Amino acid sequence: MTSKELVASYTYELVKNKFHKDFILGIGTGSTANCFIEIIKKEKPEIKALVSSSEASSDILRSEGFEISELNDVGGPDLYVDGADEVNDKFELIKGGGGAHTREKIVAAASREFICIIDDSKIVKKLGAFPLAIEVIPSARSYVARQIVAMGGKPTYRVGFVTDNGNQILDVINLNFDVPYETEIRLNRIPGVVDNGIFATRKADKVISADSSEARSL
Ligand code: 5RP
């Protein structure tokens, strides 16, 4: 078993007793979330609804016959399970390596509980080494890039990538992460920014991590 498979199965065992016929489960995006999806596909828990944070995850689940509900129709999920690119000891995250962070942040914000599942390589002392994905309205891309440069950041256009919302991504290094919450808010104030991959306003409630031999709650 890989560390991603291990953390996914450990997490499923931890949460499966919470499931019931009125339970709403939110599912994230990426290779670690996909391991959790594999277990959902196999175990088929009896829950009321599944909400997904990306077309990619929805496609995988639909291909197995699962119905995906709109967040607007079901209200807040009881639990959201998703991966991350970096996690610090306050459970603040960088997400968006897969470019799905805007919808991920919406589902996380709407959920009663957010469990982040990672392998140990994602644990950092300080956020910010992983390039920060910023989703931008296409016509605002150059303007937003200039504002980011003025903040000291170095943006790179993720060429050829279109988000599920029809927008573009700037991947940014060299930003100040002394107070992640402030950087998250400051970036989102730039006109044309849809959202950025810092999850400090809505951080994870629980982080479960694994190496190649064991998984544990941090
Ligand atoms: C997608 C994400 C993912 O959760 C993040 O990139 C981690 O991915 P993986 O589990 O493949 O390492 O934020 O937008």
Side-chain angles (χ1 to χ4, degrees), residues 4 29-32 82-85 95-101 104 122:
K4 292 183 181 189
T29 304
S31 54
T32 318
D82 196 3
D85 300 303
K95 291 182 48 55
H101 57 277
E104 292 172 339
K122 308 292 184 63

Side-chain angles (χ1 to χ4, degrees), residues 150-200:
M151 285 172 67
K154 289 189 182 158
T156 304
Y157 172 35
R158 201 181 290 186
V159 180
F161 185 88
V162 179
T163 70
D164 285 348
N165 311 308
N167 295 314
Q168 298 174 346
I169 296 282
L170 292 170
D171 289 300
V172 184
I173 56 167
N174 217 35
L175 287 167
N176 184 326
F177 276 87
D178 289 346
V179 185
Y181 171 88
E182 286 177 5
T183 304
E184 179 181 8
I185 301 290
R186 189 170 170 202
L187 288 168
N188 280 357
R189 281 205 194 112
I190 302 171
V193 169
V194 180
D195 211 333
N196 68 80
I198 303 173
F199 281 55

Side-chain angles (χ1 to χ4, degrees), residues 23 25 40 50 57 100 165 192 205 214:
F23 196 91
L25 178 62
I40 296 291
L50 273 176
S57 295
N165 311 308
D205 298 306
E214 64 161 9

Side-chain angles (χ1 to χ4, degrees), residues 92-113:
E92 295 165 328
L93 321 170
I94 284 187
K95 291 182 48 55
H101 57 277
T102 297
R103 292 194 189 186
E104 292 172 339
K105 202 181 277 189
I106 294 166
V107 180
S111 296
R112 272 182 272 290
E113 185 179 16

